[in-house]
Amino acid sequence: MSNEFGSYIPLCSALAGGLLSLIGSWGAVWFSTRSAINRDSHQLANAFKGEMSALVHIAELRNYAASLREQAKWCTDNNAVGFFSAPSRKEYRAVYKANVGKLGSLKGDLPKQIAIVYTQMASLQEDLKTLDEIHIGTRTDAWMGQPVTASQRYSGMALLIEDTISKAKATLTEIDRLYPVSAR
């Protein structure tokens, strides 16, 4: 009987070796894939961070919210519709548009936060384009309504800009927390 068991030792050794080799190969592939996914996710988060940081900086530097509030006040004070124009001819959301399908690869609530920020930015850009079209005469000013309505529109846009900037800054903080620079 001990002779029968002894004949199985090479077979068991070969099976154990094969199993360990299989596990090692699977582990190497898993680790390599996971590392690539983490690297890609980190790069994507940094791309969004760069684009969003630039957009926040531009909005703050140009002080759109304050200008819109001033225009709202002017409409109320003068009981007239004043026009605000900030031409928006370029696409400032290239990273988002190119990578929207990859949002799900980001950690935590970043996909949701980024989608909210960029949807609000798109809404603001649409409003700015409408105001510019009114300014250059390719659209009627009927969209503005009466002075009170125009004032409310301008005030609402100012609030939306401030809310978008606030949400963008919170998202940037979350990117820094989830993707620290030292984690590379």
Side-chain angles (χ1 to χ4, degrees), residues 83-105:
F83 294 99
F84 175 89
S85 181
S88 179
R89 293 180 203 87
K90 299 290 182 184
E91 179 52 63
Y92 293 98
R93 294 170 288 133
V95 171
Y96 179 77
K97 286 188 170 191
N99 294 289
V100 69
K102 298 176 187 174
L103 278 177
S105 69

Side-chain angles (χ1 to χ4, degrees), residues 62-78:
R62 293 183 180 168
N63 209 7
Y64 289 134
S67 297
L68 286 162
R69 279 205 167 73
E70 288 172 13
Q71 195 62 48
K73 185 177 179 338
W74 187 93
C75 290
T76 302
D77 291 348
N78 294 288

Side-chain angles (χ1 to χ4, degrees), residues 4-81:
E4 277 182 40
F5 182 70
S7 64
Y8 288 115
I9 290 177
L11 178 63
C12 290
S13 295
L15 287 174
L19 184 60
L20 288 174
S21 178
L22 182 64
I23 290 171
S25 294
W26 178 82
V29 168
W30 176 83
F31 181 77
S32 175
T33 302
R34 182 177 167 162
S35 294
I37 289 170
N38 284 340
R39 183 187 65 249
D40 292 348
S41 177
H42 199 112
Q43 289 174 341
L44 182 62
N46 280 329
F48 279 118
K49 180 180 176 181
E51 185 172 76
M52 217 180 298
S53 295
L55 290 167
V56 166
H57 180 71
I58 290 166
E60 289 179 333
L61 190 64
R62 293 183 180 168
N63 209 7
Y64 289 134
S67 297
L68 286 162
R69 279 205 167 73
E70 288 172 13
Q71 195 62 48
K73 185 177 179 338
W74 187 93
C75 290
T76 302
D77 291 348
N78 294 288
N79 195 30
V81 176

